[in-house]
Amino acid sequence: MSLVEPNKTTGLPLDLPVEELIVVPRRRYGIWIGIAVAMLFAFFIGRAFATNPAFDWGTAANYLFHPSIMRGLGKTLLLTVVIMAAAIVIGTIIAIMRVSPSAVLQTFASAYVWFFRGVPALIQLIFWFNLSLLFRTATLSIPGFGTVFSVNTNDFMTPFVSAVVALSLCEAGYLAEIIRAGIKSVPHGQFEAASGLGMSYRQILRRIILPQAMRFIVPPTGNEAISLLKMTSLVTFIAVDDLFYTAQSIYARTFETIPLLIVVAFWYLFVVTVMSIGQHFLERYYGRSDRRQENPVIRLLQSLLGSRKGRAQP
Amino acid sequence: MTSQAETRARFGVPPDAMVFARSVRKSYGSVEVLKGIDLTVPKGSVACIIGPSGSGKSTFLRCINHLEQLTGGVLLVDGEFVGYDLRDGKLYEVKDSLLCKRRADIGMVFQSFNLFSHMTVMENLIEAPTRVRGVPVAEAKASAEVLLARVGLSDKASRYPRELSGGQQQRVAIARALAMNPKVLLFDEPTSALDPELVGEVLQVMRDLAESGMTMVVVTHEIGFAREVGDDLIFMDEGVIIERGAPREVIANPKSARTREFLSRVL
Ligand SMILES: Nc1ncnc2c1ncn2[C@@H]1O[C@H](COP(=O)(O)OP(=O)(O)OP(=O)(O)O)[C@@H](O)[C@H]1O
Ligand SMILES: [Mg+2]
C-alpha cells in the first residue's frame, strides 16, 4: 500500500520528483544528419591530405625547424610585437584626443583614423618604403642655428623600419577606435566621482577610466594582434625577410611550394593559438571585478574556438 | 591681502559660513536652470534641500564643488571660491592642481553610488587619499578600516562593489568621501536608488555624521530625515528657493502654496 495516491491517468504517484523519472530526449534527426555529413567531409578531406603525394608531409616536417624558417619566424614575431606596442601607444593617444574637450584635437584624431583606416595597409607600406622618392633627405634645421643633422632618407628607411612605421600607423587607427569605444563604455558617474574626490584628469584616465575600459578593449585588441600577426606577411612585398618571405625564397629555389606553405601555415596557427591563450588570461585579469564562478577549462576552450560572444571580427 | 581675506571682506561672508551662495545662476545654453540662489550653510549644520524633479537641486550641488561652472553670482566654500582666486578685484581661474586640491575638501555622495567598479572596497577608500593627498598606503588603510567600522562594513573590505547591496554600496561611498576628511559633504538623493528596506541603514549613517558635527548639504525626498536631522529645510522650484526655515516649521505650516502642494505629494 502506497501513501501517495496514484494519478488516475498515468498511474504514477503524484509527487514523484522529475529527476527520478526517466527522461527520453527529443530525437534531433537534423543534428544526426549534420554530424554524418560533416564526418564524411572530414574523412574525404583528411584522406586527400594524407594520401596526395603533392602535400609531401615528409618535406614539410624537414623544413619545420629549418634555421632560415626559424629566423623568419623570429622576424615575424619581432615585427608583430614592435608594431603592436607602437600601435597601442599611438592608438591610446589618438583615442584620448578623440574624447578630449578640445574640438581641434578631436578633429585631428578623427582625420587620423579616417586616413589610416581608409587606405589599404599594403599601399601605406609601399608608400613608406618609397618615401625617398618624396624626400631625398631628412633635415632638421633650426632657424638662426643652422642644420643640426641631415640624413639620406634611404639610409634610415630600411625595409624593416618602413614596415614598422607603416603598419604601426595603420594599426593605431584601428586600436584608437577600439580604445575610444572602451573609454565611452565607462559610465560618466565614474569620472564625476573621481573628480569630486580631487583626482586630476590624468589620474582619472589612468587609474579609473582606462582600467575599466580594458574589459572592453582587451577582447577586440586580441583579435587585432592576431590579424596583425598575419598582416605582417605583407612585408614580403618590400623584401623584409619574415616567415613568409623566407619560405618563398626557399621554394623559389626548390619548387617545394606546398610543403613550405604548410610549414608557414603551421607556424602562424601555432602562434595564434599561443596568443589566444594569453588573451584569455588578460581578459580574466581585467574582468576580475565581475567574475562569476565559471569553469576555467571551458572558458579557455571557448576562447580558443572563438565562440565567445562579443568577439566581432575586424 | 590674501585671496581668502579679500574674498570674505568683499562679500561680507559670515565667519561661520561653510557654504555661501549669492545670486547663483547657471544656464545650459539658453535654458536658465538656477535663477539666483542665495543660501548660507553654517559650519556644523545640516541643510536639506527638497523640491520637484528638474528644479535644479543637483545642478546647485554640482556648482558647489565646481563640477559645473556658474554663469553668475558668487559661491564660496569656507570663504573661498573653488575654481577661482580673487585678486585685485578680478577672478582668476585656478590651475587644475589647485582646483583638485580644493575639490578634495568637498565630499560628494551620488544617487547612483559611483563606486569604482574595478576596485575592491578598500581600494576605493584609499585611492584618493594616497593619490591626491599622498598619504602612505599603510596609514590610508588604517583610517579606511576605522571608517568601514563606522559605516558597519568592516567585513567587506576585500569585496568588489557589485558584490554588495545598494545600501552597502552607498555606505561605502559615504566612507570613501569621508576618507578625504572633507570640510563639507554634499549628498544628491543618496537613498533614491535604494529599496525601501535599505534606506534606513544609509540614513542612520548620515544621522551619525550629522551628530558628529559634519557640515552637510543633503538633497533628499526623505522628509522624515529632513525634519529630524536638518537644521534648515530649503524648498526649491524652477531654479529659485521658494521657502526656507526650520524643518518642523516649514513642514507644519508651509507659507507658500507651491511648498504646500509639494509637501502634500511627498508626505
Ligand atoms: N548637462 C546639462 N545640459 C542641459 N541641461 C541640463 C544639464 N543638466 C541638467 N539640465 C537641466 O537642468 C534642469 C535641472 O536639473 P537638475 O538635475 O538640477 O534637477 P533636480 O532638481 O536635481 O531634479 P531631480 O530631482 O530629477 O534629480 C533640468 O531641467 C535638466 O534638464
Ligand atoms: Mg537631481
Side-chain angles (χ1 to χ4, degrees):
Chain A
M1 189 193 111
S2 151
L3 286 175
V4 184
E5 189 188 328
N7 185 311
K8 298 260 155 43
T9 47
T10 62
L12 284 169
L14 272 178
D15 67 346
L16 192 62
V18 129
E19 61 264 33
E20 283 176 22
L21 294 172
I22 294 162
V23 177
V24 183
R26 179 158 35 97
R27 295 288 154 104
R28 294 164 209 256
Y29 297 107
I31 290 186
W32 287 113
I33 294 169
I35 291 175
V37 172
M39 302 234 313
L40 208 64
F41 265 104
F43 171 75
F44 283 124
I45 293 171
R47 198 181 59 169
F49 272 73
T51 58
N52 186 334
F55 281 106
D56 200 356
W57 294 98
T59 315
N62 286 340
Y63 274 114
L64 201 53
F65 296 101
H66 191 280
S68 317
I69 294 287
M70 289 292 102
R71 237 176 290 126
L73 177 63
K75 198 56 128 333
T76 291
L77 290 178
L78 179 69
L79 273 171
T80 307
V81 170
V82 172
I83 292 169
M84 199 64 195
I88 286 174
V89 173
I90 301 169
T92 307
I93 293 170
I94 298 291
I96 289 173
M97 284 164 80
R98 276 199 91 165
V99 298
S100 82
S102 152
V104 178
L105 294 184
Q106 280 176 28
T107 311
F108 177 86
S110 308
Y112 180 97
V113 171
W114 169 77
F115 182 82
F116 286 97
R117 244 181 17 168
V119 178
L122 182 57
I123 292 174
Q124 294 187 40
L125 189 68
I126 297 176
F127 173 85
W128 283 101
F129 183 59
N130 290 305
L131 193 69
S132 59
L133 298 183
L134 279 179
F135 307 102
R136 291 241 157 265
T137 55
T139 308
L140 177 68
S141 48
I142 298 170
F145 191 79
T147 301
V148 180
F149 71 85
S150 178
V151 288
N152 214 326
T153 310
N154 270 340
D155 291 346
F156 71 90
M157 265 299 162
T158 61
F160 186 81
V161 172
S162 316
V164 169
V165 171
L167 296 183
S168 304
L169 291 176
C170 172
E171 186 60 40
Y174 289 94
L175 287 183
E177 281 303 278
I178 292 173
I179 295 167
R180 182 181 71 113
I183 291 175
K184 290 267 177 200
S185 73
V186 179
H188 192 63
Q190 297 282 312
F191 187 90
E192 292 202 330
S195 307
L197 287 165
M199 295 176 76
S200 68
Y201 189 74
R202 277 188 53 155
Q203 283 176 327
I204 297 173
L205 268 182
R206 210 166 53 79
R207 299 281 311 164
I208 309 296
I209 306 293
L210 285 177
Q212 295 188 59
M214 283 312 260
R215 245 182 303 171
F216 295 83
I217 292 173
V218 168
T221 301
N223 278 338
E224 282 302 319
I226 287 168
S227 68
L228 173 65
L229 172 78
K230 294 176 288 175
M231 190 163 80
T232 56
S233 61
L234 290 179
V235 302
T236 302
F237 280 93
I238 58 170
V240 177
D241 49 350
D242 75 325
L243 180 58
F244 185 39
Y245 184 84
T246 314
Q248 269 187 334
S249 36
I250 297 175
Y251 68 65
R253 261 193 344 262
T254 67
F255 300 106
E256 292 157 321
T257 311
I258 298 294
L260 275 151
L261 288 181
I262 290 172
V263 168
V264 171
F266 169 85
W267 281 118
Y268 277 114
L269 273 175
F270 177 81
V271 178
V272 166
T273 308
V274 172
M275 285 164 89
S276 304
I277 295 171
Q279 178 184 6
H280 165 78
F281 284 105
L282 260 182
E283 276 178 42
R284 258 170 71 101
Y285 176 77
Y286 283 108
R288 67 196 182 285
S289 60
D290 59 4
R291 188 150 64 241
R292 276 180 225 95
Q293 285 307 316
E294 266 183 72
N295 186 336
V297 178
I298 288 178
R299 270 195 57 141
L300 180 61
L301 281 175
Q302 281 175 337
S303 87
L304 285 182
L305 298 172
S307 70
R308 301 265 320 281
K309 274 174 262 154
R311 181 85 56 86
Q313 279 296 319
Chain B
M1 196 183 226
T2 67
S3 164
Q4 198 170 3
E6 184 181 337
T7 313
R8 280 183 182 278
R10 168 129 188 196
F11 300 106
V13 184
D16 72 332
M18 180 54 81
V19 177
F20 178 86
R22 282 297 170 274
S23 334
V24 166
R25 293 177 176 278
K26 172 71 192 174
S27 310
Y28 291 109
S30 60
V31 186
E32 192 160 58
V33 177
L34 299 178
K35 301 168 181 161
I37 302 283
D38 290 323
L39 180 70
T40 306
V41 182
K43 285 177 185 158
S45 76
V46 177
C48 294
I49 303 178
I50 58 172
S53 182
S55 54
K57 307 177 300 286
S58 302
T59 307
F60 180 62
L61 277 196
R62 295 156 55 80
C63 285
I64 295 179
N65 71 354
H66 207 73
L67 278 178
E68 301 284 355
Q69 248 163 311
L70 303 193
T71 39
V74 172
L75 215 171
L76 308 174
V77 175
D78 202 16
E80 265 185 320
F81 286 93
V82 177
Y84 310 97
D85 270 335
L86 183 71
R87 263 177 280 131
D88 313 320
K90 287 198 198 111
L91 282 183
Y92 292 87
E93 271 190 21
V94 297
K95 287 184 304 191
D96 279 346
S97 55
L98 188 55
L99 175 60
C100 287
K101 196 164 154 278
R102 292 193 187 154
R103 263 198 194 136
D105 287 334
I106 306 170
M108 183 137 183
V109 176
F110 301 84
Q111 179 175 351
S112 48
F113 328 134
N114 294 348
L115 291 179
F116 304 136
S117 63
H118 61 306
M119 295 182 176
T120 63
V121 167
M122 180 54 81
E123 288 164 347
N124 264 278
L125 261 62
I126 65 171
E127 179 67 16
T130 54
R131 303 270 158 186
V132 178
R133 291 263 169 78
V135 177
V137 172
E139 206 174 298
K141 278 193 173 160
S143 359
E145 265 155 26
V146 174
L147 286 171
L148 281 180
R150 195 159 152 195
V151 298
L153 292 171
S154 294
D155 53 332
K156 304 285 188 223
S158 56
R159 291 304 179 81
Y160 283 98
R162 62 158 43 221
E163 300 171 320
L164 304 180
S165 74
Q168 291 169 336
Q169 288 190 49
Q170 193 59 297
R171 286 186 279 154
V172 173
I174 295 173
R176 179 176 69 177
L178 288 175
M180 295 300 276
N181 284 316
K183 295 174 181 171
V184 52
L185 263 184
L186 314 175
F187 292 85
D188 192 358
E189 304 195 24
T191 57
S192 297
L194 298 179
D195 290 338
E197 73 269 23
L198 300 178
V199 169
E201 62 190 55
V202 172
L203 291 183
Q204 188 53 47
V205 167
M206 292 168 63
R207 202 169 279 139
D208 295 344
L209 270 177
E211 259 159 43
S212 74
M214 174 63 76
T215 312
M216 296 165 40
V217 182
V218 186
V219 171
T220 184
H221 292 304
E222 298 290 331
I223 303 292
F225 174 85
R227 178 167 39 209
E228 285 156 42
V229 183
D231 296 298
D232 275 300
L233 183 61
I234 292 109
F235 174 66
M236 260 178 83
D237 195 10
E238 294 181 356
V240 289
I241 293 180
I242 304 281
E243 189 161 350
R244 84 185 69 185
R248 281 170 204 284
E249 190 57 28
V250 174
I251 293 164
N253 341 286
K255 292 194 186 63
S256 134
R258 274 202 265 176
T259 318
R260 211 171 303 136
E261 199 244 338
F262 177 76
L263 285 172
S264 72
R265 270 189 287 131
V266 296
L267 278 178

